[in-house]
Amino acid sequence: MMTGVHHWPAQQRVIYGTPAAEALQAEIARAGAQRVFVTTTRSLTNGALVARLIAALGERCAGKFDAIAAHSPREAVIAGAHAIGAAQADLVVAIGGGSVIDATKVMLLAIWRGVRTVEDLSALSGKPAEASAWDAEPQKLRMIAIPTTLSAAEFFPHAGVTDMQRRLKQMYTHPLAVPRTVILDPAATLETPLDLMLSTGMRAVDHAVEGWCSVRAAPIADASNRESMRLLAGALAQIKHDPADLEARALAQHGMWLSRIATMAGIPYGASHGIGYLLGGGRGVPHGITSCVALPAVMNWNAAANAARQAHVSEAFGFAGEPAGEVLRRFIASLGQPTRLRDVGIAREELAGIAASWDGTAPIATNPRPVRGKDDLLEILELAY
């Protein structure tokens, strides 16, 4: 008999189909918050979206921190935590993509733990926590997330923060770090550059595909991953065709939400995600782009181990009977995204060093076809080159 544990996160609501400003006002009233602090990025801070949302907060807006760069540098996390604390905020609203939302998760963790330096923050990284143990340690200061990309960081209690000096991605987790409320408004994505929207959409595809092809399975995970692939295949193609199509953007948001449900069932990812961590922390490649260049190669390398599963991937993307790795590579190219490591400035001479930087841990260690060492990983990188 199948056994397992599905961890529901401490997420009270996901609101969709309502304009973000309207939904935010209702959530602020529900929470009874008086001092609401906004986190975002410099690319969004002076745009119409942030202006609308801050206007909706009115006199309850207690401040804004917008110095969050790609890959969530730990220095920005500490600076943001200090700003939230100084503002005496009773609620935080994160507006942006995965870097903003992940950074805000760790800002909250730093505040809860009284952390004030990057060194003390690093000491918290890697500490395990049960994703559904959210009644064991109540925390009043929580987050509302309004995502502007398709990274799906808002549906997960884990967060990646980068030690920029060592070029190392550090992982943090706390069951209450997940946003209490997520507001999915397709109009909130309109200021996001099209290439960023599409590449983060491929990150969601990576979640769904590697979840579907995982070494473990569960009915809830299979159902969500199948539907996620179907929705994303159609929605991303339509967004590329017509960037103003809000219905397509809404369907893409639902697809990326579904892509994260499997994770709560304990379904591990594989080498595409692991290579993404190596390229992101070590080479500064955006996570959406790492999925574009790594996923097709990993699928090709894994085909001997899970061809039957991969056949469903090809079908979901409209090319039943063809190799899934090549179907995905063509799909990514049709979105105008890079499909090879050389397309993102990685030289062949760097591949051995990237392979050598793997420390033997998951998710590369949980790849469907076992990666038995750095030579196997180098073989995958060569396929991606």
Side-chain angles (χ1 to χ4, degrees), residues 20-29 33-39 49-64 90-95 144 146 183:
E22 178 184 334
L24 180 59
Q25 285 180 316
E27 285 301 293
I28 298 301
Q34 297 299 315
R35 298 189 61 78
V36 183
F37 194 93
V38 172
T39 58
L49 172 66
V50 171
R52 283 198 305 274
L53 295 171
I54 288 180
L57 294 177
E59 63 183 14
R60 290 166 299 192
C61 183
K64 179 175 69 171
D90 56 7
L91 186 66
V92 180
V93 177
I95 307 166
I144 293 172
I146 302 173
I183 299 171

Side-chain angles (χ1 to χ4, degrees), residues 213-215 270-271 297-306 310 363-372 376 379-380 383:
C213 294
S214 177
V215 293
V298 169
M299 294 292 284
N300 285 340
W301 198 78
N302 286 344
N306 57 8
Q310 291 201 23
I364 294 174
T366 53
N367 192 60
R369 177 182 169 187
V371 180
R372 303 191 184 281
D376 279 355
E379 195 173 302
I380 300 173
L383 289 174

Side-chain angles (χ1 to χ4, degrees), residues 109-130:
L109 180 59
I111 292 168
W112 298 335
R113 296 289 184 261
V115 167
R116 300 193 62 80
T117 68
V118 291
E119 292 77 18
D120 290 342
L121 183 67
S122 291
L124 296 178
S125 69
K127 293 188 180 301
E130 184 179 304

